[in-house]
Structure formats: C-alpha cells, structure tokens
C-alpha cells in the first residue's frame, strides 16, 4: 500500500483442512516474510466470518462496519 503498509488478500485454507492450525501457520509465515521486506503494518479487508480468526492472531479491528471489516496488525521489523 505504501513503504510501511501491505495489504493481505485471498487468505483461504481448504474446507477439509480448516481448524487444524494451518491458517495460523500460514499467517505466521506471511508476517515473517512481510517484516523481512520492511513492512511495518498489515491490513486486511476481512470476510465477516473470519474476524475471529484474525482476532485470535492478534489483529485489531479498525473499521467494524460494512461487509468487510478492516483489521490491522503492527509487525516487528528487523532481520
Ligand atoms: C479463516 C481461515 C483462513 C482460518 O484458517 P484455519 O486453518 O481454519 O484456522 P486455524 O485452525 O489456524 O485457527 C487459528 C485460530 O483462529 C481461530 N479461528 C479460526 N477460524 C475462526 C473463526 N471463523 N472465528 C473465530 N475464530 C477462528 C481458531 O480457533 C484458532 O484459535 P486458537 O489457536 O487460539 O485455538 C479458514 O477458515 C478459511 O479459509 N475460511 C474460508 C475463507 C475465508 O474466510 N478467508 C478469510 C478471508 S479474509
């Protein structure tokens, strides 16, 4: 989105593999990759049903209204 922020899109785990920790693993890898690229803040326009998932991973709701709530997560940058 700019030098410090990146947008997360199209996060999905196959239906038969959900609720087994793969989503958490995927996002941990994504956060590590992004922070190595110098990204300081991630933003997502979430599906309503996925807000609890992001909440469990430490994301914060910044816009609750609308079809796709906006959440953000600050990353620790560095090597
Ligand atoms: C949302 C999605 C990516 C989560 O992946 P997952 O592999 O099922 O999630 P995990 O098993 O890694 O769960 C991680 C944590 O989030 C929680 N969680 C997962 N989905 C949740 C939900 N819909 N509501 C509330 N909490 C949820 C789990 O309880 C778990 O918490 P814990 O580790 O503290 O017990 C997956 O369900 C999915 O693909 N959904 C359909 C597509 C979608 O909505 N994508 C998001 C678009 S923004």
């Amino acid at each position: 989105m700019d030098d410090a922020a990146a947008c997360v899109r199209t996060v999905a785990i196959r239906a038969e593999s959900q609720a087994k920790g793969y989503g958490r693993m995927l996002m941990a890898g994504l956060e590590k990759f992004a922070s190595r690229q110098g990204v300081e803040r991630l933003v997502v326009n979430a599906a309503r049903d996925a807000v609890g998932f992001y909440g469990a991973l430490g994301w914060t709701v910044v816009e609750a209204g609308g079809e796709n709530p906006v959440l953000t997560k600050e990353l620790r940058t560095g090597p």
Side-chain angles (χ1 to χ4, degrees):
M1 297 170 73
D2 57 40
D3 283 349
C7 190
V8 175
R9 297 240 188 247
T10 322
V11 175
I13 298 296
R14 280 175 183 267
E16 64 270 25
S17 298
Q18 290 176 8
K20 294 177 180 171
Y22 293 125
R24 183 183 280 279
M25 287 170 62
L26 175 70
M27 297 307 290
L30 182 152
E31 287 178 24
K32 201 168 173 183
F33 175 80
S35 101
R36 282 182 179 160
Q37 306 301 312
V39 173
E40 296 171 11
R41 188 174 74 258
L42 294 173
V43 180
V44 68
N45 290 78
R48 281 215 156 274
D49 287 351
V51 170
F53 166 68
Y54 289 103
L57 272 52
W59 291 63
T60 306
V61 177
V62 289
E63 278 179 42
E67 198 174 318
N68 296 108
V70 181
L71 294 94
T72 185
K73 184 167 185 182
E74 302 291 330
L75 301 180
R76 280 184 297 173
T77 51

